[in-house]
Amino acid sequence: MIRVYCDTGAFRSELVQLEQAGRIAVHQFKYENQNRRIRLSAIPSDLRYDDLAHYTYGELGTTEFQKDLTYDDLGLQSEKLNEILRIVGRQNRQDARHLDSAFMTACRAFLTSDKGDIWSKRCELKAFLGFSIFYVGTEWDDFLCFVENGA
């Protein structure tokens, strides 16, 4: 099963079918918006108190990576976050946190609807983070091939 991170705006209903078939596991940390169809949480990066508003207390208690989350965990991030910020731009903190969450969750694919700040830098990000980045607007078939070939 391939772990896939789906950033805000990149969700497609076909992901549910791939997940139900056992091909992928779709993850996201809800920094910005709630998408109830993405049921698996990613490990949070650089979590701030106000980020928790996007999860209910019940959700935090039942997700794989968040069930043991404490206030002491606020602000944890990987050693890669500063370099991710350099690549995508310090003004794109949410994008960087999505990418860092995908890295910490050991995702092998990252689906994005952000062509400017993430997808345009996909080669540098893949070399640094080790996962493939797909723009859902034009690379859906490429993503399906990626899944079919087991990455």
Side-chain angles (χ1 to χ4, degrees):
M1 182 173 303
I2 299 170
R3 283 189 184 168
V4 176
Y5 192 97
C6 184
D7 80 1
T8 304
F11 184 82
R12 289 179 59 142
S13 60
E14 295 96 325
L15 291 171
V16 174
Q17 296 161 344
L18 288 168
E19 195 167 38
Q20 289 172 343
R23 306 297 308 275
I24 64 172
V26 182
H27 294 267
Q28 181 186 72
F29 189 82
K30 301 171 187 174
Y31 295 108
E32 302 150 307
N33 299 313
Q34 289 190 12
N35 184 330
R36 297 203 183 274
R37 294 180 283 182
I38 299 175
R39 60 181 181 76
L40 298 174
S41 177
I43 298 171
S45 171
D46 194 24
L47 190 61
R48 310 273 171 95
Y49 178 75
D50 60 344
D51 292 323
L52 296 178
H54 300 292
Y55 284 90
T56 67
Y57 184 77
E59 285 175 318
L60 285 173
T62 59
T63 57
E64 174 188 1
F65 295 115
Q66 295 173 352
K67 65 183 176 188
D68 300 319
L69 193 65
T70 68
Y71 283 109
D72 293 335
D73 296 324
L74 293 176
L76 291 179
Q77 61 198 42
S78 82
E79 70 282 358
K80 305 229 179 218
L81 182 59
N82 283 327
E83 182 64 12
I84 296 168
L85 282 164
R86 185 198 65 75
I87 294 168
V88 300
R90 296 219 171 263
Q91 72 280 11
N92 298 312
R93 181 175 167 270
Q94 296 293 54
D95 294 337
R97 293 191 319 157
H98 281 297
L99 290 160
D100 197 39
S101 288
F103 172 76
M104 292 191 302
T105 307
C107 292
R108 293 173 42 207
F110 187 98
L111 298 177
T112 187
S113 60
D114 186 333
K115 204 166 192 176
D117 301 320
I118 296 176
W119 184 80
S120 66
K121 298 167 178 88
R122 69 193 177 284
C123 294
E124 186 175 4
L125 288 165
K126 180 179 181 177
F128 183 64
L129 296 171
F131 53 76
S132 297
I133 298 173
F134 298 93
Y135 177 68
V136 293
T138 58
E139 295 183 321
W140 181 251
D141 289 339
D142 295 334
F143 171 69
L144 292 177
C145 287
F146 179 87
V147 170
E148 185 64 31
N149 293 324

